[in-house]
Amino acid sequence: MDILYKSTRGNEKRLTASQAIIQGLSEDGGLFVPESVPSLDIDFDKLAQMSYQECAFFVMKKFFTDFTDEELKNCIDRAYDSKFDTKEIAPVVKTGDCYYLELFHGATIAFKDMALSILPHLLTTAMAKNNLDKKVVILTATSGDTGKAALAGFADVPGTNIIVFYPKGGVSRIQELQMVTQKGDNTKVVGVRGNFDDCQSNVKNIFNNADIKEMLGKRGYCFSSANSINIGRLIPQVAYYVYAYAKLMKDYGLCAGKKVNFVVPTGNFGNILACYIAKQMGLPVDKMICASNDNKVLFDFFKTGVYDRRREFILTSSPSMDILISSNLERLIYFISGENAEVTAQRMKDLSEKGVYEITDSEKAKLSDFVPAYASEADVKDTISKVFSKDHYVIDPHTAVAAFGAMQFMKDSTNPVVVVSTASPYKFTPAVMNAIDGKRDEEDVFALIHRLSNLSGVSIPNAVREIENADILHDCVADIADMESVVCDYLK
Ligand SMILES: *Cc1c(COP(=O)(O)O)cnc(C)c1O
């Protein structure tokens, strides 16, 4: 059966998967959702034997029905290859009383690699399928992590260029080094004399500038974004939940059909939404624990049914979850409203105009599979320290937010609990060392990294090793006002 995609804010148009991937966001501002969620429909013993690539193919084939088997396999083979430092791609590790699903073995040692390593291939395949022969230009503003993951994904992918703007002086030393040492003939990294908001609003302006669009169109280019709301990022994330279940069966003796809980450190709500979709497909998932840091908008939402972003933005040790507007939640709102586009559009309007909306009691009742949790900065530090001293396992602050939630939750559950581990501790070494070895803020970050390796016995990932001595390949620094001309000059 063909699966078509529709918008969460309008009922008319239907797109194929490849069209939805190219377009990213619907014209009415809504997000694309599949008209129906396909069922898993598989023999569990067969599932248990699948490799990551086979699992990804199995899941993606059900959603991206206008792609041929060969096209999908091609995308998967190019994405989940030796860029990952383990053949398993997403290993499941048992430590103490929980399981950890490690999603940080890709090029940038964090979970966004899981989707951003395949999106470029899905996008270029989709362009070819729809007879669009333009070169895709990805424009991204980054506060640190997404930019690098997008660069790594798009580097040297034929038919694409990627330009990343970051606030000069506004990202960590490791983050900046990761970006400015990026290889690939089609990559451009620009430090902007301004803050992240300046970068982001100018990227939006360039996107929406009709003159630039026309001029670049004549030169054979079109713009796209690698945004986390693209179904080309969301659906590949469903695969690792199915794979985790397969691993639990194969390696840890889980009985077919037994339910499993997942604890997900959440920001934009993309990762946990993929878990929800896996459950809709029929994967035996019990509870989905939505773990927030101090920016606990989602925790309050699941408790009260009120989404209220009118609050102070707090900088935490888990920066990738410092978010007050979780874009992907719109899809869940749409599903629980009975797929009511009008109601969804109104709520999103309220959110942007008033900063708040409320769902009904009957909708709230449909959220009973979600369990909210949150961890303060003290809880995070304490959890990193406890897991290390008790189990000799090192986790990063994002994962610690989830691990803390798991410890609270486990008291009342008999089913296995899987903590979704979203970043390597080597990506956030100062915070990790602070927790397990006392205050180390002053020390050079590479010195800390080596100490962490000595303490933990975990070898330093290649992604970190490489940048310590890599050549700086990008030294472009621009004023805010010059961002536009940087783009036009680069795309000569
Ligand atoms: C992006 C990110 C998250 C949050 O994931 P969402 O899909 O935005 O909820 C959590 N941890 C890390 C390390 C991330 O990079």
Side-chain angles (χ1 to χ4, degrees), residues 1-169:
M1 194 183 69
D2 264 348
I3 303 269
L4 294 176
Y5 291 80
K6 57 182 178 177
S7 164
T8 51
R9 298 192 200 176
N11 277 322
E12 301 80 38
K13 248 187 161 172
R14 296 289 182 272
L15 275 69
T16 62
S18 64
Q19 290 166 338
I21 289 170
I22 293 169
Q23 208 178 308
L25 192 70
S26 171
E27 281 144 2
D28 53 26
L31 276 50
F32 291 118
V33 286
E35 271 191 305
S36 61
V37 174
S39 103
L40 205 55
D41 197 16
I42 192 175
D43 174 353
F44 279 106
D45 292 325
K46 221 163 140 189
L47 177 69
Q49 300 307 319
M50 282 190 184
S51 67
Y52 191 84
Q53 291 80 356
E54 287 166 343
C55 223
F57 176 76
F58 177 76
V59 169
M60 285 166 53
K61 180 70 193 159
K62 291 193 176 270
F63 285 94
F64 298 158
T65 51
D66 67 325
F67 286 69
T68 66
D69 288 10
E70 197 192 344
E71 284 168 340
L72 278 182
K73 281 185 179 152
N74 235 316
C75 291
I76 288 166
D77 287 346
R78 286 187 218 177
Y80 305 117
D81 60 6
S82 58
K83 289 190 288 301
F84 285 76
D85 67 11
T86 161
K87 277 210 165 61
E88 290 191 79
I89 307 294
V92 176
V93 173
K94 183 162 200 290
T95 301
D97 301 325
C98 353
Y99 300 89
Y100 287 83
L101 169 60
E102 295 185 347
L103 302 181
F104 55 75
H105 290 274
T108 75
I109 55 174
F111 118 90
K112 297 206 173 46
D113 292 329
M114 299 305 296
L116 277 167
S117 54
I118 194 161
L119 178 73
H121 304 289
L122 292 172
L123 187 57
T124 50
T125 306
M127 292 285 286
K129 291 183 77 62
N130 288 275
N131 300 314
L132 300 167
D133 64 355
K134 292 217 172 349
K135 246 185 146 177
V136 182
V137 179
I138 303 292
L139 277 191
T140 305
T142 185
S143 55
D145 278 347
T146 307
K148 174 60 190 185
L151 281 165
F154 279 92
D156 288 328
V157 174
T160 71
N161 280 96
I162 175 162
I163 309 174
V164 172
F165 294 98
Y166 71 94
K168 183 80 190 157

Side-chain angles (χ1 to χ4, degrees), residues 110-112 145 237 265-272 320-321 323 396 398 422-423 428:
F111 118 90
K112 297 206 173 46
D145 278 347
Q237 294 178 179
T266 298
N268 224 350
F269 210 75
N271 197 351
I272 195 167
S320 301
M321 295 158 64
I323 284 174
D396 98 291
H398 301 78
T422 52
F428 298 94

